[in-house]
Amino acid sequence: IGERTLLTGEAYGFTLTARDALQAIRIGRPLLLRVAGEFPEFALCLVRTLGIRLDGVREDLRALLPLFV
């Protein structure tokens, strides 16, 4: 969560509440870019995840289109 902010540098505020106990880490942009550079499979997974999310936004917008035509 928050990978878009790490990649673009744009501020993006949100609040999350876990339903169950969890462990989380906070990483900064330099570390994310280093890991992506050292582990191409991680970078590919990140790109795929962002693509899936973008597809979801596209579908949401497509569903709204009839309201504006």
Side-chain angles (χ1 to χ4, degrees), residues 26-56:
R26 179 183 290 194
I27 64 170
R29 185 178 180 157
L31 179 56
L32 177 76
L33 295 177
R34 186 173 128 211
V35 170
E38 291 181 22
F39 301 94
E41 61 278 7
F42 170 78
L44 183 57
C45 181
L46 185 59
V47 169
R48 283 183 182 147
T49 299
L50 292 172
I52 289 167
R53 290 184 187 174
L54 185 57
D55 284 345

Side-chain angles (χ1 to χ4, degrees), residues 3 11 15 20 23-24 30 33 41 60 65-66 69:
E3 62 277 348
T15 301
D20 299 308
Q23 290 183 348
L33 295 177
E41 61 278 7
D60 290 346
L65 186 61
V69 181

Side-chain angles (χ1 to χ4, degrees), residues 2-37:
E3 62 277 348
R4 185 181 68 116
T5 296
L6 286 170
L7 294 172
T8 66
E10 294 177 27
Y12 183 76
F14 55 87
T15 301
L16 299 173
T17 303
R19 288 191 245 177
D20 299 308
L22 63 91
Q23 290 183 348
I25 62 169
R26 179 183 290 194
I27 64 170
R29 185 178 180 157
L31 179 56
L32 177 76
L33 295 177
R34 186 173 128 211
V35 170

